[in-house]
Amino acid sequence: MFLDLAWKNICSQRRRSLVTVLLLLFATAILVFSGAFMEGSHRQMIRSAVEIYPSYLQITGNGYRDEPGVDRLVFDLAALNNVLNAQSEVALATSRYESFALLVSDHQALGALLAAVEPDKEAQVSRLKQSLIRGEYLSNNDQNQVYLGRELAQRLKVDVGSNLAFVGSGADSSFAADRLHVKGIFQTGLFDFDNSSAFVNRTYIEPLMALDNTASHVIVLPHNPDQVQDLARLLSQRLPPELGLEVRSWQETMSGLVEAMTVDSIFGYLTLSVLFLVILFVITIYTLLAIMARTREIGILRAIGSSQRQIFTLLLLEGLILTLAGVIPGGMLGGAFAWYFQENPFSFSAWEEQFKQYNLAVSTLPALFSLTQILRDMIIMTLAALMAMLVPLLRVTRLRPTEAMRHV
Amino acid sequence: MYKLIWHMAWNALGRRRGRSLLVTLMIGASLWGLLFMEGIYDGMTEQMIDNTVKSDSGNLSLFAQGYRLDPSLDRLLPDSLLNQQILRTNPLIKSRSIRFSHTGLLATAHAARQVQIQGVPLEEEIVHAGLSDKLAQGRLHFGSDGNGAILGHGLAGKLRVSIGQKIILSAQDRQQNINSLVLKVNGIIRSGNQPIDDKILYMDIEQCREFLGVSQGFSQLSLILHNPDNTALLQEQLLRELDDSAIEILRWDQLYPALLQGRQVMKTFNLICNLLVFCVAGLGVWGVMTVSVLERLREFGIMIAVGTSFQQIRAQVLLESTLLGLGGFILGAGSGVATLLWFVEHGLNLEVFQEGLQAFGMDTIIYAIIRPDYFTTALIAILLACTASVILPLRRLKQARPVTILNSQ
């Protein structure tokens, strides 16, 4: 009976009901889609930043991340590799030795990151190999070969086949210097990285930099990148303390970027909240108008024996029907947009330069279609709309029958 | 007559006090939210631009032709440029500073990093870049022997150097020899411009020239104007007066187009938000005005029957909705100004997100700004929304005939 009555009442004020439903539909669709777009674009930015070079999980000597130096290296690489090889969650582990060196060409000398990597494994944990634009990527047998960032090569005025020299220091703080032959040039799209990075084969540079059994980082690729934090915790427990190592997931190594995305989300939702505030106000106003127009009718219902509770339930049911009539299609509409833009990401090629300025190499941003998130947003919207309706509902149900019947 | 209309409109609103208050509150709250958002977002954008202008680009920067594509020590501006009348006595220019830039490697006993060497005349740079406000540690001084250095806080952090510590600077000089120099860290600055904070090393310009084997010249002349709106005007003047085949004269927005793009996006974004919010608010006013007109059909019928013209009734209804809008505007603008003034003075402290904000070159305390156009745009939008909201109710009223109305009630 309640449902019948509620439905009749909704239909009797068709225009107001329609506006309420449309507003809720619009608000829910915007909330669902904005949430999906923020989440999707943030994931894409982080993924791109993580996969270009830093990777998902890093193991370093204790304190190396805060205070990088030759006294905080991984000093027993073999022991660490033994532990990592025994972990079923680890898909791959590879070592890096990062140092800063002066690269000297015939025209220019520049300070740059000179990193020794295991080329074959490195190709699986970062996008270095995929970023090749000229020449060839490094191989595990290379000697004196260097793989340079495009901007760095331009500044040094060298190209594939050119020679240059490096002067740096080894793991034992000794001087290390040699001539290098440019084997390939890469471009990740991150200006800073391409402008200041050079890579060599680890086995070549090991004796030059006294790297025997030593690394600055060990990069771990998990089977499931979504569980990288669990793996970091697990490895922290399983690594022998005497190795003096710390395990950091990308959430820690790239905490600045993670925080930046959080700030972006906060400001995004802050903006949406202004729009929702006014929408909820309009819903309150419409509910008030709809209920006020029926005050007399409510008085009669009370006079013939309906309890305050029954009236409240009836009005709440009307509100719930209107809310669900707006929120459900709104959620579906927002979800449909989220799915579409997940499959066909927004192209931001005009914005590429601006993203690069903040070390983000992305030209397309997808939305993220997540049922859990869509349901969460729909529940939030339903609760907010019901809250907005609550004040007029409480006001009218508290009226005494005689008072309500006198209402004009 | 107008007094009567005013009186009637005011009384009509007063009779439905709760409803009127709710609409006023809705407009006020949404305007408050919009003003807060616009003030903070614009403050954020302008702070980023201001940090970049002060620490690097100035409003205008002069470089030797080709220097930006190939920043070599052979492409320098001559010292004589500073004596040019247009640069010495131009009333548009507030401050100027010369910079001698080169890249090198900065090392401690434990670590090394790529560095942007910036030789500057310190006194000028302090005024020009507002370095005193940016000092995070130590002091702004190159020492009596000129062997002091001031580092960006990101660079200092990566090298883990502190005040008083020695650092070794290596770079290739003009004759292509690799030189090294021991410097002492005297100060650490936080400019808010991320590339500067992560890479900059300030040192004495004379010491820098000597270290790099250059006797005279500089890489960049940065100019800050009294009124930034005159930037294009000064650029034109300089292009006319100076030899543009040897000198490149670039505005900050030509050097950092992404920042200008950011400012334009923020403007469009604010405009879209205004539109959306006031369209929805207009729906709220429309609902109230429709009910208000429909429930007074009999009243209007009587008024028409006794000779009141439809124009007068239209004016009354329009005035009612405008009064609601203006009430909301006064409430929203008042509370918005008060809130923004607080944030202009104290700023929005986001230190908890320090790392994230710095990754985007933002300050951790964001000072709001207040622009007159926030209020004019909002007022126009509110008045339009209020006017549009009574069109349909008035049409319905016009279609109803007085006798029919009186009989129907």
Side-chain angles (χ1 to χ4, degrees):
Chain A
M1 187 190 78
F2 273 129
L3 201 64
D4 271 354
L5 266 175
W7 183 248
K8 273 180 194 158
N9 288 333
I10 288 170
C11 292
S12 69
Q13 296 179 341
R14 218 166 291 150
R15 192 175 291 184
R16 244 174 271 161
S17 304
L18 190 69
V19 173
T20 308
V21 168
L22 286 178
L23 275 176
L24 281 166
L25 189 148
F26 171 70
T28 314
I30 283 198
L31 179 64
V32 166
F33 179 67
S34 307
F37 180 62
M38 275 192 270
E39 191 62 32
S41 56
H42 290 167
R43 279 196 187 197
Q44 170 76 356
M45 287 179 193
I46 287 172
R47 207 178 132 191
S48 134
V50 167
E51 288 180 357
I52 281 179
Y53 183 64
S55 200
Y56 288 96
L57 202 147
Q58 292 185 4
I59 301 175
T60 59
N62 272 331
Y64 181 86
R65 190 173 164 258
D66 297 328
E67 201 171 332
V70 289
D71 45 355
R72 288 182 169 81
L73 299 172
V74 176
F75 290 111
D76 195 346
L77 189 57
L80 173 59
N81 280 333
N82 285 339
V83 177
L84 293 176
N85 291 339
Q87 311 302 319
S88 57
E89 299 86 351
V90 174
L92 182 81
T94 181
S95 69
R96 288 175 185 163
Y97 180 79
E98 291 182 356
S99 69
F100 282 82
L102 204 59
L103 299 183
V104 188
S105 70
D106 290 342
H107 311 277
Q108 188 71 276
L110 296 169
L113 167 83
L114 182 67
V117 295
E118 299 174 60
D120 287 355
K121 287 185 182 174
E122 185 64 41
Q124 296 176 61
V125 299
S126 70
R127 292 193 194 161
L128 276 185
K129 187 178 179 183
Q130 290 164 253
S131 306
L132 174 83
I133 54 167
R134 277 201 299 281
E136 284 175 61
Y137 176 66
L138 298 170
S139 80
N140 285 0
N141 304 317
D142 279 345
Q143 297 289 319
N144 298 77
Q145 308 283 328
V146 67
Y147 189 54
L148 282 179
R150 191 185 79 142
E151 274 74 20
L152 181 60
Q154 274 174 358
R155 287 199 301 146
L156 286 165
K157 294 180 184 158
V158 294
D159 208 333
V160 176
S162 307
N163 289 318
L164 51 92
F166 80 90
V167 184
S169 58
D172 58 352
S173 296
S174 63
F175 256 112
D178 201 2
R179 284 188 75 76
L180 296 168
H181 186 74
V182 181
K183 184 174 185 185
I185 291 176
F186 66 86
Q187 185 182 22
T188 61
L190 292 185
F191 181 82
D192 263 8
F193 187 70
D194 298 342
N195 190 30
S196 61
S197 311
F199 296 87
V200 290
N201 173 23
R202 183 185 163 97
T203 48
Y204 148 68
I205 217 152
E206 255 178 7
L208 275 172
M209 287 197 165
L211 297 190
D212 184 34
N213 207 19
T214 304
S216 58
H217 305 75
V218 169
I219 304 300
V220 176
L221 182 70
H223 281 298
N224 182 358
D226 289 338
Q227 289 172 357
V228 67
Q229 278 178 305
D230 294 337
L231 181 59
R233 268 192 296 273
L234 197 78
L235 288 178
S236 297
Q237 288 159 9
R238 291 185 185 167
L239 288 177
E242 61 272 18
L243 290 179
L245 301 172
E246 60 186 24
V247 187
R248 302 278 176 117
S249 63
W250 64 265
Q251 285 92 340
E252 292 171 277
T253 54
M254 306 200 71
S255 54
L257 187 61
V258 175
E259 253 186 28
M261 297 301 130
T262 311
V263 174
D264 189 53
S265 294
I266 289 174
F267 280 117
Y269 283 115
L270 193 74
T271 309
L272 285 178
S273 66
V274 177
L275 182 62
F276 294 156
L277 181 77
V278 62
I279 287 178
L280 293 176
F281 256 113
V282 175
I283 290 170
T284 307
I285 289 171
Y286 277 43
T287 312
L288 185 75
L289 293 175
I291 287 173
M292 285 303 156
R294 287 162 49 203
T295 309
R296 201 177 149 80
E297 173 195 322
I298 290 164
I300 295 170
L301 279 174
R302 289 291 314 279
I304 60 169
S306 304
S307 68
Q308 227 175 24
R309 197 184 193 154
Q310 283 172 321
I311 302 285
F312 182 77
T313 312
L314 174 67
L315 296 176
L316 192 66
L317 192 63
E318 287 177 33
L320 190 66
I321 293 173
L322 285 177
T323 303
L324 293 179
V327 166
I328 293 172
M332 284 161 63
L333 186 68
F337 273 112
W339 179 81
Y340 178 81
F341 286 105
Q342 177 178 268
E343 300 304 312
N344 308 283
F346 284 104
S347 173
F348 281 89
S349 44
W351 288 77
E352 233 174 316
E353 288 311 308
Q354 191 166 10
F355 286 132
K356 277 180 194 170
Q357 194 184 321
Y358 303 114
N359 280 332
L360 298 170
V362 285
S363 57
T364 57
L365 293 176
L368 177 80
F369 180 83
S370 154
L371 268 179
T372 328
Q373 207 163 304
I374 293 171
L375 279 175
R376 183 203 66 187
D377 290 344
M378 286 166 73
I379 291 170
I380 290 174
M381 215 54 227
T382 306
L383 291 176
L386 289 177
M387 289 286 286
M389 292 171 176
L390 212 57
V391 179
L393 292 197
L394 287 173
R395 201 176 139 184
V396 79
T397 44
R398 276 183 193 153
L399 284 176
R400 280 180 302 180
T402 46
E403 199 182 337
M405 283 168 70
R406 275 204 302 270
H407 188 86
V408 181
Chain B
M1 175 58 77
Y2 289 116
K3 203 173 170 186
L4 180 68
I5 292 174
W6 168 269
H7 223 73
M8 289 179 75
W10 183 256
N11 284 340
L13 292 176
R15 274 210 310 267
R16 292 155 186 89
R17 214 168 295 144
R19 220 183 281 174
S20 306
L21 202 68
L22 204 57
V23 173
T24 311
L25 209 62
M26 170 189 72
I27 297 173
S30 47
L31 180 57
W32 173 84
L34 277 176
L35 286 175
F36 173 73
M37 213 175 69
E38 282 180 306
I40 292 288
Y41 288 0
D42 280 349
M44 205 184 270
T45 313
E46 293 308 318
Q47 250 169 279
M48 280 168 77
I49 293 173
D50 188 57
N51 285 339
T52 306
V53 164
K54 282 185 175 162
S55 61
D56 187 21
S57 66
N59 296 115
L60 272 178
S61 268
L62 280 68
F63 303 93
Q65 198 63 254
Y67 173 83
R68 289 181 61 246
L69 286 175
D70 177 18
S72 98
L73 292 174
D74 294 321
R75 295 179 198 276
L76 298 175
L77 292 168
D79 285 346
S80 58
L81 180 69
L82 299 171
N83 299 326
Q84 295 266 0
Q85 187 75 9
I86 190 165
L87 289 170
R88 252 185 330 122
T89 57
N90 197 311
L92 298 178
I93 299 172
K94 182 181 167 192
S95 70
R96 64 181 200 182
S97 185
I98 57 169
R99 290 158 187 162
F100 187 92
S101 305
H102 197 50
T103 52
L105 188 74
L106 191 63
T108 65
H110 302 286
R113 276 277 186 268
Q114 185 190 5
V115 68
Q116 181 70 34
I117 307 164
Q118 194 97 272
V120 291
L122 190 58
E123 296 308 318
E124 277 178 30
E125 189 68 22
I126 288 174
V127 177
H128 185 77
L131 286 187
S132 306
D133 299 333
K134 312 286 182 192
L135 186 68
Q137 283 175 53
R139 58 199 188 111
L140 298 171
H141 191 49
F142 289 144
S144 50
D145 55 358
N147 280 338
I150 297 163
L151 304 187
H153 86 103
L155 178 66
K158 279 173 187 158
L159 287 170
R160 288 276 146 186
V161 292
S162 50
I163 302 300
Q165 209 168 321
K166 296 249 168 82
I167 46 179
I168 300 160
L169 178 66
S170 304
Q172 190 179 42
D173 69 12
R174 196 177 193 172
Q175 291 72 41
Q176 307 204 338
N177 301 313
I178 305 291
N179 293 341
S180 289
L181 176 71
V182 177
L183 295 168
K184 195 170 104 180
V185 181
N186 282 349
I188 294 171
I189 58 147
R190 189 193 292 267
S191 72
N193 181 354
Q194 199 207 358
I196 296 278
D197 288 340
D198 281 352
K199 286 202 178 121
I200 206 80
L201 174 144
Y202 287 113
M203 63 185 288
D204 179 61
I205 190 164
E206 294 308 327
Q207 180 81 319
C208 186
R209 282 173 176 159
E210 196 185 324
F211 173 60
L212 295 170
V214 174
S215 56
Q216 71 95 38
F218 51 91
S219 328
Q220 179 192 7
L221 171 63
S222 167
L223 303 173
I224 289 182
L225 276 60
H226 289 287
N227 179 1
D229 294 341
N230 290 327
T231 305
L233 176 71
L234 181 64
Q235 186 186 30
E236 262 175 49
Q237 287 179 9
L238 294 176
L239 283 169
R240 264 200 313 271
E241 298 271 331
L242 303 173
D243 175 11
D244 63 354
S245 64
I247 300 172
E248 254 188 307
I249 302 160
L250 297 166
R251 298 189 310 269
W252 69 268
D253 53 312
Q254 292 172 309
L255 289 165
Y256 288 91
L259 283 177
L260 182 70
Q261 208 176 7
R263 183 195 260 177
Q264 282 160 348
V265 166
M266 203 49 82
K267 264 190 183 168
T268 315
F269 176 76
N270 285 341
L271 193 68
I272 291 171
C273 284
N274 265 289
L275 266 174
L276 273 177
V277 166
F278 288 117
C279 277
V280 179
L283 275 177
V285 183
W286 170 69
V288 168
M289 291 313 295
T290 307
V291 172
S292 167
V293 168
L294 293 184
E295 67 189 10
R296 285 186 292 159
L297 278 180
R298 190 179 160 82
E299 180 186 319
F300 290 132
I302 295 170
M303 283 170 70
I304 290 170
V306 297
T308 311
S309 68
F310 179 75
Q311 280 74 11
Q312 284 167 335
I313 291 174
R314 187 174 60 193
Q316 185 193 325
V317 173
L318 195 62
L319 187 62
E320 282 174 29
S321 81
T322 308
L323 280 174
L324 286 176
L326 284 179
F329 176 78
I330 291 166
L331 182 71
S335 54
V337 164
T339 312
L340 282 183
L341 279 176
W342 198 89
F343 284 109
V344 166
E345 183 67 24
H346 300 95
L348 176 66
N349 193 333
L350 294 174
E351 266 173 8
V352 66
F353 299 114
Q354 186 174 356
E355 214 180 332
L357 289 166
Q358 278 167 5
F360 277 76
M362 292 177 193
D363 289 339
T364 49
I365 298 178
I366 294 162
Y367 293 93
I369 55 172
I370 306 178
R371 287 193 172 128
D373 63 288
Y374 297 165
F375 302 95
T376 47
T377 313
L379 184 61
I380 292 169
I382 288 173
L383 292 178
L384 280 175
C386 290
T387 309
S389 68
V390 295
I391 292 175
L392 281 179
L394 281 173
R395 245 176 80 180
R396 283 185 73 178
L397 180 62
K398 195 173 183 182
Q399 281 160 1
R401 292 164 56 198
V403 181
T404 321
I405 296 168
L406 288 170
N407 286 340
S408 69
Q409 298 289 312

